[in-house]
Amino acid sequence: MSLSRASSDKDRARLKLAVRRQVKACGGQETAALITRVGPQTLSDYGNHLSDRHRDAHCPLDVLLDLTLDGGPVALVELCRIAGGVYVPLPTTGVASDWAREIGDVAREGGEAVARLCEALAEGGTITAAESRAMELRREVAEAIEALAHVDHRLKQIEEAEDRP
């Protein structure tokens, strides 16, 4: 029997590579194993996208949570992108906003996305799927969206604070 899955082999390979980067962000397999319920070899299996033997061995959510809380949202960011979304970290409540940096991030990320899109359009006046993939255009656009969403969250905080009695 063949499964009809919503995710593709390529999606799952991307997720495995992201888990590998996540484990590295936590200091490697040995260190990451100290903060999760699984051992170093199992973490290795979760990130192994080349072996058919480990093709269906994927990181459980509780392990991903442990790794994310320790090493940052490396794999979570990629999971969001694969699912067609973006990961937007919310600022810590009560922390003053660094408006200049945040608006600079919007300008930088937005500018990079626009520059890459224009570069792709310069070759024939259209963007092909191959160009989009090769130039990682969706990733560039996602980074710009993430920067804008962060500023949007700050603005929402300002409005909600003003609306409180």
Side-chain angles (χ1 to χ4, degrees):
M1 177 172 111
S2 175
L3 283 177
S4 178
R5 297 180 70 177
S7 61
S8 68
D9 289 340
K10 183 179 176 183
D11 291 335
R12 291 184 297 278
R14 283 176 59 194
L15 191 55
K16 282 186 160 284
L17 289 170
V19 168
R20 178 183 290 180
R21 290 191 310 272
Q22 180 72 63
V23 168
K24 187 175 183 179
C26 293
Q29 295 170 4
E30 297 293 330
T31 304
L34 297 173
I35 59 149
T36 67
R37 64 176 172 82
V38 299
Q41 184 56 54
T42 303
L43 289 170
S44 176
D45 296 346
Y46 296 157
N48 186 342
H49 70 289
L50 299 175
S51 168
D52 283 342
R53 180 173 163 223
H54 302 295
R55 184 183 64 176
D56 292 325
H58 291 279
C59 186
L61 290 177
D62 66 312
V63 174
L64 179 59
L65 177 61
D66 292 336
L67 297 172
T68 299
L69 293 175
D70 184 75
V74 178
L76 191 55
V77 167
E78 188 63 22
L79 177 61
C80 289
R81 287 180 178 153
I82 292 168
V86 295
Y87 173 80
V88 181
L90 299 178
T92 306
T93 305
V95 172
S97 175
D98 181 359
W99 281 105
R101 182 191 52 77
E102 291 173 3
I103 294 170
D105 288 347
V106 169
R108 183 185 71 253
E109 296 297 347
E112 288 174 5
V114 169
R116 297 289 283 188
L117 290 165
C118 288
E119 182 182 338
L121 284 168
E123 310 242 347
T126 188
I127 299 173
T128 66
E131 286 173 320
S132 179
R133 288 184 193 104
M135 297 176 73
E136 297 184 316
L137 296 179
R138 293 189 66 221
R139 179 177 302 269
E140 291 290 343
V141 170
E143 289 171 357
I145 291 169
E146 289 167 7
L148 279 167
H150 193 77
V151 169
D152 180 61
H153 180 74
R154 292 285 191 190
L155 294 170
K156 180 182 173 190
Q157 285 180 320
I158 291 168
E159 290 174 3
E160 288 173 350
E162 187 175 284
D163 292 341
R164 283 186 211 122

